[in-house]
Amino acid sequence: MSVLIVGGDYVTSFKHHISTQNYARVEHWNGRKKGFNKRQIPNETQLVIVICDFVNHSLANSVKEKANRDGIPLMFCHRSVNELKDKLNTHQTDEDCCCRSFCEAKSQFQKLH
C-alpha cells in the first residue's frame, strides 16, 4: 500500500510512523513549487495525508479535488505525529469510516505480510 504526504519539509517522523503501520511505500511532496498543483496522484496511492500547516490553499484544494475524483481517502492534519496516530486509529476502528475500501485493503495487506 502506498501513502502520499503533501506538505511539510521534514516528515521523517510521519514516514516512520506510517511505515510501522505496514504501508509499503511513502511518497512526499513538499508543495513548495507551483508545479505541484498540476501533479497527478500516483495510481497506487491508497491514502493522501495533507499537512495543513505547510501548504497553500490552492494546493490543498487541488489535492482534495484529485483525491475525491479518484476515490482516494484524504486526511488533513497539522504537524503533529500524535494527531496523525489518532486519525489513523480512528479510521481503522470506525464502523462508518469514509474510507472503508482503504481500511479493508490495509487489513488484507497486513494478513499477507
Side-chain angles (χ1 to χ4, degrees), residues 50-110:
V50 178
I51 303 175
C52 300
D53 298 338
F54 294 99
V55 297
N56 59 34
H57 289 288
S58 63
L59 178 59
N61 286 332
S62 174
V63 169
K64 180 180 175 181
E65 180 182 300
K66 291 172 186 173
N68 286 336
R69 183 187 62 219
D70 295 341
I72 300 171
L74 182 68
M75 265 186 216
F76 290 91
C77 66
H78 299 282
R79 63 182 95 179
S80 168
V81 176
N82 289 327
E83 181 182 358
L84 176 66
K85 289 177 186 179
D86 291 342
K87 287 188 177 193
L88 286 173
N89 289 337
T90 301
H91 280 291
Q92 290 173 358
T93 58
D94 192 0
E95 291 292 326
D96 297 325
C97 181
C98 63
C99 56
R100 180 167 288 143
S101 61
F102 167 74
C103 295
E104 291 170 358
K106 182 179 177 187
S107 65
Q108 290 174 356
F109 181 80
Q110 288 174 341

Side-chain angles (χ1 to χ4, degrees), residues 6-87:
V6 179
D9 292 325
Y10 304 103
V11 294
T12 308
S13 57
F14 282 86
K15 285 183 175 182
H16 176 70
H17 176 70
I18 290 169
S19 65
T20 61
Q21 298 292 315
N22 296 323
Y23 294 97
R25 189 170 154 260
V26 178
E27 185 172 340
H28 175 237
W29 297 353
N30 64 7
R32 294 283 185 190
K33 296 182 182 176
K34 206 181 274 188
F36 282 104
N37 286 340
K38 297 178 183 176
R39 276 192 177 179
Q40 294 299 316
I41 296 175
N43 291 333
E44 65 276 356
T45 302
Q46 296 292 321
L47 175 65
V48 177
I49 300 170
V50 178
I51 303 175
C52 300
D53 298 338
F54 294 99
V55 297
N56 59 34
H57 289 288
S58 63
L59 178 59
N61 286 332
S62 174
V63 169
K64 180 180 175 181
E65 180 182 300
K66 291 172 186 173
N68 286 336
R69 183 187 62 219
D70 295 341
I72 300 171
L74 182 68
M75 265 186 216
F76 290 91
C77 66
H78 299 282
R79 63 182 95 179
S80 168
V81 176
N82 289 327
E83 181 182 358
L84 176 66
K85 289 177 186 179
D86 291 342
K87 287 188 177 193

